[in-house]
Amino acid sequence: MAFAAVKVCLQTLDQTFSSNPFLNLDKDEHCQFLSEKLGIFKRFLEDWTNKCDDLGKVEDLERRIRDVSYRAQDYVEELAFFSWKDMDLLKCYDRVYSTKGCLSQIVDETKLIELEVMKIYEQMSCHADVNASESYLLESSQEKSPAVQDIVVGLDDDVLEIKTRLCSFSSKLEIVSLVGMGGIGKSTLARMVYDDSFIQYHFSIRAWVTVKDHQVKGLFLGLLDGIVEFIDEIHEKHSEQLEEMLYRKLKHNRYLIVLDDVWSTEVWDKVRRCFPDDKNGSRILLTTRLTEVALLAKSDSAPYCLKFLDLEESWELLCQKVFGRKFDHSDLKDIGKKIAERCQGLPLTILVVAGQLSKLQRTRMCWETFAKTVGSTVTDEYKKCLDILALSYRNLPHHLKACFIYICAFPAETAIRVQLLVNLWIAEGFLTTGKQKTFENYAEECLEDLVNRSLVIVKQRKSNGRVKSCAVHDLLRDLGLREAQRENFFHFPEFFATADALHCGRRLSYYTAASIEVPWKPLLPLSRTLLLSSSEIAPCFWSRLLGSLQYKLLRVLRIVHVTFDYFPTQVLQLVHLRYLALTVKDPKCPELISRLWNLQTFVLDTRGILNLPKTVWEMENLRHVCLGNGCFLPNPMSSFNGCKVLTNLQTITYVDIMSCTREVAENVPNLKKLAIQGHGDGASSHPSYYLNNLFHLKQLEKLKLCYHNLSSMDFFPSNLKKLVLNRCSLSCGFTSSLCMLPNLEILKLECVEFEQHTWNLTEEVFSHLKYLKMVAFNLRVWNASEVNFLKLEHLVLESCYSLENFPHEVGNICTLQCIEVLSCSVAVEMSVQRVQEEQNNMGNDSLNVSIPYKGSINVSIPDKRIVDISIPENDSLDVSIPENGSLDVSIPEKGCLNVSIPENVSVSICVTGRDSLKVSISEGQPQCIYPGEGHPQCFCPGEGKPQYFCPGEGHLQYFCPGEG
């Protein structure tokens, strides 16, 4: 973490001493000296730390660089804080000196570190001329292939696929790549294929080498070890001689070479020349955790990505490892499956857990106790497991290490929103980029890099293919937590609850109520980040927590699942804040919010539309403003002299339509994402008066409009790439306006009302649209063909209950890859199926159609909890259950649930005790079981036919008007 500490400190020095109207500070000679030397340390960490042989010395030096960077950052930010408090400059220095020690001490330590850095530079220069081939590892000859686990589950299909690729009809030399995270079974799969009898027959020469960190000479020796008889003279040869020798042995032979565990593209570049291509079907099988390495091999076939085991496969592997081939403990099956599920499909984890289980008594009590602590019991096997995965972390570039550990700060099994993660990375100062690329784009590239390195799992992707949410495997998360604690980078009291460990915490993550009780007072003045989440703590506790000055250096404050009555004024003293997320009942934002002049991301949920003060136009560092229930944005020119053009602002969600004035649009020239609510009374009848001002937003790429009556759509800026219309009324001619947008790629029509319930596409052409989603309850007729969508790739139809048919000509779109049908009419489902059959008959097997037939909703309400679903006037709540689906609701004693069920849905509801249930069903057939003293009320209008059973003292009242 030394690299991240140096980078953040350099940013702090630059931002604090640049021209800043809020501070009166000049960069003295000491701070200039620090900037210069920290720049040297940054280059040293980038260039040399992975090349020095003395790892202990380098780790000690990294720790010293990290600590001196922390101390320098503390000094500068405290100086800025007291200067902001209008304290005399001399008193500022005295105050900081008395609390943090003299700056000269930091400078002296920096000079000592510089001497050590220069010594390492000299040593590395002296050794630069040493022949790299002399530092090879003979380890490869001893571990030329790993032993296959005696129990292998779930790889039969994978083995067949890899054998097919290796023995395909292609005569030229092919590279087959296996990609996946550590412990997922790449080497095991490769070994099973390597030892297969048909593979042994098919290839006359086979050789295996485990690459890891071997030098080139070691790789050649490892490969030759499986081909020729070793003599002493071979070890004395140089790399070039060994390369030629290997080339000659492989020439004119059909060979299979396995390069296991390749970590860099450089290794492949150095050894690829020794593999001749005699057009005889030779193959190279390469395993790696890095997608980049697999892609660089430039195989004709795509890299083969290994998947996690499903629950049944995980249980089978666990069961066979613990019990052998005979399982005779049926009473342990359910709890055993829960344990297997906790392993999240990673074979390495399952084997470690199975090893621990095999040492326990085979009783339900022992297994239930173990299930509660899966992963927390540290054994030698578990440490070895972490060591295997730690290779992925240690091989990360410096700038990605902090990003990866930050992901581990979120609770286990949590799907992390990428937008949240990116904004936090930027606020922390982990990322630097040039003028050609925004922080946000660079952050998404870093995330994709972590995904390609098999360290991060993609949970969901956006309609444009980018990552929407992600997660990390529990085993990797445990590795990240321990590394964060060791590096003093992040602290998690629920795992490491000791005062000593928390003494110098820079970042804190509290996600359980119990962890709040940890003695954490000493670290508050140094904390830069607080991630707090606990619905069990009273808001008054949080108010005391944000007491005066104890968080004066805080950069990130995110409090979720806690609602304040009013905006906490203590926050206004946290002048270093870059990220702020709160929930407040009172929809008022104080004018002094402009004191937070460093603020980049402002997230505030209120119970009403928020009135932002005019001072918000002073906050020139704002990048993202996310206000859950919308806001009124004041006119920037209304008698206000401190107004600035917010050139950094990229996101505003949501804003009231009456705030969309020309002055507002011109003061946010680089806005890229905007969501507008049409609740203003004056705007409802004349929305175009305000929406026409969107034309001035030349950089706008994403736009969402909610609750609008859109008679005209000529106001869209030409750069728009994504458009979402939610609960809008559309005129017949809306399509012609949208077709004029040259960059539109994503269009979502959510709960819109089409005029005359019809959407006719005749000559209109969407030239660049790739993704189309329609959630249209009242759409009856849709006429379209391949002529209207030239580049459409993904089509989603959802809740189109009234749609009479699906235009089969859409299936002829040559770029169309996927059609999703969710809760639509039977006619639409059958039409889409016919389209797929037609395309298959024409030889188009690439069209994927998804129609989920059987779905279910399971709702569990905790004891004594009441679930209230409040729907505003003229709004609606839609619960969609596919055909043959089911809705199961379990309500404990004193629970209460109000449910509205759409027609033609079968409902099974169990109510206990003295509960109250209200169900409104349109032409449905409810089946209700009410034991005890349940008291339901059922309303079945139209042709509803209720069926009920009330044992005991159950009491049922129902009313069926008409023919019910």
Side-chain angles (χ1 to χ4, degrees), residues 798-861:
E798 183 177 345
S799 301
C800 297
Y801 306 123
S802 304
L803 189 60
E804 298 171 356
N805 208 342
F806 177 83
H808 70 275
E809 294 89 350
V810 170
N812 296 328
I813 301 174
C814 60
T815 56
L816 190 60
Q817 300 173 6
C818 179
I819 302 177
E820 290 185 61
V821 181
L822 306 171
S823 303
C824 292
S825 63
V826 176
V828 171
E829 294 178 355
M830 294 179 64
S831 297
V832 172
Q833 287 178 330
R834 283 197 298 270
V835 167
Q836 185 182 32
E837 291 174 1
E838 291 176 3
Q839 293 300 312
N840 288 340
N841 293 335
M842 295 169 60
N844 179 16
D845 298 328
S846 60
L847 179 60
N848 179 34
V849 172
S850 174
I851 306 177
Y853 286 99
K854 294 184 179 181
S856 64
I857 301 177
N858 299 306
V859 182
S860 179
I861 303 174

Side-chain angles (χ1 to χ4, degrees), residues 277-296:
D277 185 6
D278 295 316
K279 302 296 189 296
N280 59 2
S282 294
R283 298 290 184 264
I284 297 173
L285 182 59
L286 181 149
T287 76
T288 180
R289 305 183 193 186
L290 310 179
T291 305
E292 178 189 13
V293 172
L295 293 175
L296 191 72

Side-chain angles (χ1 to χ4, degrees), residues 158-178 189-190 192-196 198-200 202-203 206 254-258 280-286 301:
D158 302 287
V159 169
L160 182 61
E161 173 64 23
I162 300 305
K163 285 173 61 178
T164 302
R165 293 193 184 191
L166 293 178
C167 302
S168 64
F169 291 107
S170 175
S171 60
K172 68 177 182 178
L173 177 64
E174 290 274 353
I175 297 94
V176 178
S177 301
L178 303 180
L189 173 59
M192 291 176 67
V193 173
Y194 185 82
D195 287 340
D196 183 84
F198 180 78
I199 294 295
Q200 294 182 34
H202 187 75
F203 295 98
R206 295 178 305 126
R254 180 191 292 165
Y255 59 84
L256 171 64
I257 301 295
V258 178
N280 59 2
S282 294
R283 298 290 184 264
I284 297 173
L285 182 59
L286 181 149
S301 60

